Each structure stands twice: as C-alpha cells, then as structure tokens.
C-alpha cells in the first residue's frame, strides 16, 4: 500500500482522468431517478444534486482474509471463516472460500471481522477541530426554518477528526446540520476517506437527509424572536410544509404540461418538496415520547415519512408505535439527564426499543464517542441483558452496521458482509465488544485505509502534517 500523500495524489490523478464534462444548468425535465422514487407521476423540480460525488475507488488487489470470526450482520457469526474481496466488493464469505488468482491472503489469527461502522449522526467537518468559533459551521441560526442550507457546504475535508473516526472503525457517516432550528437543512453522507473536496468524500448515490429538531433547542435559540413554546414549534413546522405543498404542486404541474415559464425557484422549498416526493429522508432530533408522536402526526398530515428519530431518550415508551410506523431510532447507550427533555432516560433504551422490532442504530453526535461506538454498543447490550432482554452479539452488531445503513437508505450497498456488498471491513484486535479491542485494519471498498501496525497507513490531514513523532516517542 502506498503512503497517504501518494494515495491522495493517485486519487487526484484518477479523478482528473475520469472527470466528467461540466454539468449543464439544472433542467426541469423529469429525471429517471426521480420518476422511480416519487410515486407522484415522476415529476420533479430541477437540481436533484448539483454537487455530485467525485469519489473514486482506489484500485487494490483481490484479498482473502482467513482464519477469522466473522460477524456478518446478516446471520450468525461464522467461526474460523474467510472473506474474499475483489474489485471493491465482497465476493464470498463462509467457512471456506476460493482464492482468486493474484489475491493477497491474510491470516487473521483467530481475530474478528465485522462490517465497517456507520454513524448516522455526526457533525464532523461542520464543527471541525480545533473547536473554535471560526470552525463552528453547523447551525445556521438565523431563522427557525432553514431547509435552504446544505451541510456539505460547511464540511472541511481537512478536519483532523476524520482520521480518528476511521481509526475507530467508522467507514461511513452522515453529517448533519445542528439542532438549533425546527428545520436545519440537508445532511450529507460521506465515506471516511482522504480527499481534497467534500465531493471526493460523498457516498455516490446516497440520498440526502433533512435535519429536523423538536423540543428545547429551537425554543432556547429563538426564545426572543419565536418560536418560544412547543406549540410555536409545531406551528412553525406546519407553516413550512404548507408552503412546500404549494410549491411542489406548482412544479409538478409545470413539469407535466410545460406551459409558460417555470415557477420561480426557492432553495428551501425545493428541499422540502423533495421530502414530500420521497427523495430526501427525514432525520428528526427528538427526545420525548409525546413529541415523537406529534412529529409522526405532522408527517401524516403532510404525507411524508420520518426515516429515523435521533437521540430518542424516551423511544422505549413508544417503541411499539415506531415499529408499526417503520421508523428507525438512532440512540445513545446511556446519555440522559443532562436537560429536562432528557430526564427520563433508561440505560436499556436501545435494547427495549430494538426488542420491539425497531431498526435501532447506536449513534454518536460526538467526535470522541464516534471513535468508540463499539463500546457504546457493548454498554447497551450489557444494559439490555441486565434488564432481562436476551441481546446477543449477533444482534448488537446490527446496531452499528446494517440498521444504520437502512436508516441512510444504503442497506443494499453496505452494512453487512454478504456477496455483492461494498467491501467495508474491520479486522479487530479482539472481540469488538470488549473495551480492550480496537480496529487493527480498516478497508473501504476493498482498499485498506488504516493499519494500526503500520504508521505509513495512518491518515493525517493537511492540518496535521507538521505533527511529527520522534523515534523516542516524543512529539514535536
């Protein structure tokens, strides 16, 4: 494997050779993707994604990892098994696999392999390190409704927190705007890879998310200019969706008959209209059970779906409702009690909610916690077992992998070790649910991006290039 500086240069060279022609101005014509997803006659406003991914997979030789315990997130653990990878995809997994010609064969020494960890709730890049005001770009706290802003336009690819997430086994993350606003803007899904631009990190084909927030945060931020109450919050959501409905109808009519000039574009209403069409997934910051139920009522009033509630400290109280509605939950293992709406937390929240049939993900909302999500899952598993819920490691691994993949609409590509899936893999130093275990090697699309045993395979951003470790272990 090449060093990171060489690899970045290689990525740039490949991108330069394969760069598509500059995109034409947005067209109001119906796109195939939109038509396939809307169920509304296939009509769509322009600019589904004017900033497409430029991510390029780095070519790597076929790989077989053998003599490992494989937590597939698709079935029971495979003891002393093997995984075969080629062209960035998982080719085979099982007790034995064929070794392709020219493949590198790695003996895992009885260690553990899992899918890459997926963090559904991150602010990396938009709250970049160092944590100073100049790097605080997550909340556009100028209006309670800002669907016009996109998190990717705040992401700093040189944030030194990205390599630390990779070292913790995170291979995919959703970067969201903050929670100051009722509607905070679009999220972006990133691969945790070195790149010069955010487009070079964007997960190809991933849907955008819409960040919404309820409860105390909007009340606190806008208490002197409104909304200042929970009923004011709800009125704000409804007013925004009423405008979005009217905007969508105008564009749908124009796309159908092309009579006259197209309607005037509105960046915020474009985002909300795409939510109503089912093309953008709603990720809703919400703590209390009653407020989650209210947000479900609002979604039904305006005909959109909530993909997942985030934080959901009281999700256990309405776990049956979440399961019935097909809504996921991105939860903490044991955060709670730090403000009134987080007061009624229980440590068995994840286990209780998962046991009810909800697709639960262990999320971070924290740059440090995201480096240890395996430990967060372990704590949640232990709390569930203590509460009498028979949580197994095969169940808990899904909280880190296939369930968050589903919440992002990417479970057909990542989240489990199955033939045809992207080869996002972690080789652990021991049982992933042990406090003593760490990722030893991490692959994304079959290419190794982190090796704990080889400093040359440990990513440093440009921000850290002056940080040098001496042979004696002293930093200068």
């Amino acid at each position: 494997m090449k060093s990171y500086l060489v690899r970045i240069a290689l990525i740039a060279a490949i991108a330069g050779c394969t760069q598509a022609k500059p995109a034409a101005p947005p067209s109001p014509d119906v796109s195939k993707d939109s038509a396939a997803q809307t169920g509304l006659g296939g009509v769509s406003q322009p600019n589904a994604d004017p900033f497409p991914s430029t991510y390029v997979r780095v070519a790597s030789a076929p790989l077989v990892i053998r003599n490992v315990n494989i937590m597939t997130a698709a079935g029971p653990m495979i003891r002393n098994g093997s995984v075969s990878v080629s062209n960035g995809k998982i080719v085979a997994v099982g007790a034995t696999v064929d070794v392709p010609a020219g493949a590198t064969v790695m003996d895992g020494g009885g260690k553990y392999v899992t899918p890459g960890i997926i963090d559904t709730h991150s602010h990396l890049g938009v709250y970049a390190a160092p944590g100073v005001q100049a790097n605080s770009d997550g909340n556009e706290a100028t209006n309670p409704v800002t669907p016009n802003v996109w998190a990717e336009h705040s992401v700093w690819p040189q944030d030194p927190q990205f390599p630390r997430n990779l070292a913790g086994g995170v291979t995919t993350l959703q970067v969201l705007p903050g929670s100051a606003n009722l509607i905070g803007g679009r999220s972006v899904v990133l691969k945790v890879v070195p790149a010069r631009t955010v487009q070079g990190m964007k997960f190809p084909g991933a849907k955008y998310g819409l960040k919404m927030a309820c409860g105390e945060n909007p009340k606190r931020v806008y208490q002197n200019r409104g909304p200042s109450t929970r009923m004011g919050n709800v009125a704000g959501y409804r007013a925004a969706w009423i405008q979005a409905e009217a905007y969508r109808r105008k564009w749908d009519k124009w796309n159908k008959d092309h009579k006259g000039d197209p309607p005037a574009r509105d960046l915020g209403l474009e985002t909300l209209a795409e939510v109503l069409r089912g093309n953008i997934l709603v990720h809703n910051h919400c703590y209390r059970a009653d407020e989650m139920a209210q947000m479900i009522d609002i979604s039904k009033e305006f005909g959109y779906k909530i993909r997942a509630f985030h934080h959901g400290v009281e999700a256990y109280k309405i776990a049956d409702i979440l399961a019935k509605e097909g809504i996921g939950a991105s939860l903490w293992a044991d955060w709670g009690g730090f403000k009134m709406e987080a007061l009624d937390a229980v440590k068995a929240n994840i286990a209780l909610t998962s046991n009810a049939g909800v697709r639960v993900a262990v999320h971070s909302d924290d740059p440090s916690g995201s480096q240890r999500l395996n430990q967060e899952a372990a704590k949640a598993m232990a709390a569930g077992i203590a509460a009498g819920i028979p949580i197994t490691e095969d169940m808990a691994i899904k909280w880190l992998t296939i369930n968050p993949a589903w919440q992002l609409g990417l479970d057909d590509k990542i989240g489990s070790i199955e033939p045809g899936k992207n080869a996002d893999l972690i080789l652990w130093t021991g049982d992933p649910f042990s406090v003593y275990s760490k990722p030893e090697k991490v692959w994304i699309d079959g290419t190794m991006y982190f090796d704990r045993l080889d400093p040359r395979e440990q990513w440093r951003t440009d921000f850290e290039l002056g940080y040098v470790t001496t042979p004696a272990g002293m930093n200068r």
Side-chain angles (χ1 to χ4, degrees):
M1 297 292 292
K2 297 179 174 62
S3 70
Y4 269 95
L5 290 177
V6 174
R7 184 178 298 161
I8 292 173
L10 178 60
I11 293 171
I14 294 173
C17 293
T18 60
Q19 184 67 45
K21 294 180 180 179
S27 167
D29 291 340
V30 177
S31 71
K32 292 181 181 179
D33 288 343
S34 180
Q37 296 169 3
T38 60
L40 297 168
V43 291
S44 177
Q45 64 204 40
N47 87 313
D49 189 0
F51 312 105
S53 170
T54 59
Y55 166 78
V56 177
R57 182 182 70 84
V58 176
S60 55
L63 170 68
V64 173
I65 310 171
R66 66 177 186 85
N67 188 23
V68 285
N69 301 307
I70 307 168
M71 294 182 179
T72 66
M77 183 191 305
I78 301 172
R79 296 282 184 182
N80 194 30
S82 300
V83 183
S84 177
V85 172
S86 183
N87 294 321
K89 303 289 185 182
I90 296 166
V91 176
V93 57
T96 60
V97 299
D98 294 332
V99 178
T104 299
V105 178
M106 179 181 297
D107 190 320
K111 297 172 184 175
Y112 288 74
V113 167
T114 69
I117 293 173
I118 302 163
D119 190 354
T120 59
H121 195 114
S122 174
H123 298 297
L124 265 62
V126 300
Y127 288 115
V132 296
Q133 182 60 36
N135 288 341
S136 179
D137 290 308
N139 273 313
E140 182 57 39
T142 54
N143 189 292
V145 177
T146 57
N148 53 303
V149 301
W150 300 25
E152 67 194 79
H153 299 139
S154 282
V155 170
W156 184 38
Q158 301 303 325
D159 184 352
Q161 295 170 133
F162 283 122
R164 286 155 177 78
N165 262 231
L166 180 66
V170 177
T171 55
T172 304
L173 49 77
Q174 177 176 224
V175 177
L176 295 149
S179 54
N181 297 344
L182 302 175
I183 299 176
R186 293 198 194 195
S187 69
V188 63
V189 179
L190 303 179
K191 290 177 176 285
V192 188
V193 296
R196 297 174 298 166
T197 66
V198 68
Q199 288 102 320
M201 303 177 74
K202 284 178 70 172
F203 197 116
K207 286 188 175 184
Y208 284 105
L210 178 72
K211 173 67 176 292
M212 297 183 66
C214 57
E216 293 181 22
N217 284 16
K219 282 180 51 180
R220 171 178 50 81
V221 173
Y222 294 98
Q223 59 184 315
N224 295 323
R225 44 192 171 129
S228 61
T229 62
R230 283 181 164 84
M231 60 185 174
N233 285 355
V234 172
Y237 306 130
R238 297 179 74 205
W241 290 118
I242 287 170
Q243 292 181 339
E245 277 190 318
Y247 184 84
R248 185 195 68 173
R249 285 195 298 269
K250 288 179 183 178
W251 267 102
D252 288 355
K253 180 180 183 301
W254 189 86
N255 274 315
K256 184 177 181 179
D257 59 31
H258 282 228
K259 291 183 179 178
D261 293 331
R265 290 180 60 187
D266 182 292
L267 291 178
L269 295 178
E270 281 184 4
T271 290
L272 297 184
E274 286 296 279
V275 172
L276 295 176
R277 294 188 177 102
N279 296 335
I280 292 178
L281 305 176
V282 173
H283 294 270
N284 207 142
H285 160 123
C286 215
Y287 287 77
R288 287 183 359 189
D290 61 308
E291 288 192 277
M292 286 185 267
Q294 288 175 342
M295 298 306 294
I296 293 171
D297 289 342
I298 294 168
S299 72
K300 290 181 176 180
E301 179 183 5
F302 293 99
Y304 66 89
K305 287 284 292 182
I306 298 170
R307 190 67 168 189
F309 283 112
H310 289 226
H311 310 338
V313 166
E314 294 185 2
Y316 65 95
K317 296 183 180 182
I318 57 165
D320 58 328
I321 296 175
L322 299 180
K324 179 183 176 182
E325 297 293 334
I327 299 173
S330 285
L331 307 176
W332 293 303
D334 54 6
W335 283 19
F338 50 88
K339 56 180 175 176
M340 285 302 298
E341 63 186 358
L343 198 63
D344 213 1
V346 298
K347 291 185 178 181
N349 187 25
I350 285 178
L352 288 165
T353 307
S354 177
N355 198 50
V358 180
R359 290 185 178 95
V360 171
V362 178
H363 74 334
S364 73
D365 191 29
D366 178 76
S368 178
S370 60
Q371 300 171 39
R372 301 167 183 84
L373 283 173
N374 61 310
Q375 294 180 20
E376 296 300 299
K379 289 191 292 184
M381 180 170 57
I385 292 171
I389 303 169
I391 302 295
T392 66
E393 289 190 348
D394 284 331
M395 297 166 65
I397 195 63
K398 295 181 179 181
W399 299 341
L400 298 171
T401 57
I402 193 64
N403 288 357
W406 177 86
Q407 291 186 19
L408 300 181
L410 293 171
D411 50 314
D412 61 332
K413 296 180 176 65
I414 56 175
S416 61
I417 301 178
E418 299 178 89
K421 290 284 190 78
N422 293 3
D424 292 0
L425 302 169
I426 307 169
L427 175 68
W428 296 83
T429 59
D431 187 324
F433 297 107
S434 167
V435 70
Y436 300 107
S437 295
K438 299 178 180 180
E440 181 179 301
K441 294 176 173 61
V442 181
W443 293 264
I444 297 177
D445 291 329
T447 297
M448 187 189 296
Y449 277 90
F450 174 78
D451 186 348
R452 191 172 297 276
L453 306 179
D454 186 351
R456 296 172 300 175
E457 296 298 338
Q458 296 175 17
W459 169 21
R460 286 183 184 170
T461 67
D462 288 354
F463 182 79
E464 296 183 283
L465 288 182
Y467 180 84
V468 178
T469 302
T470 69
M474 299 295 291
N475 297 325
R476 61 187 182 195

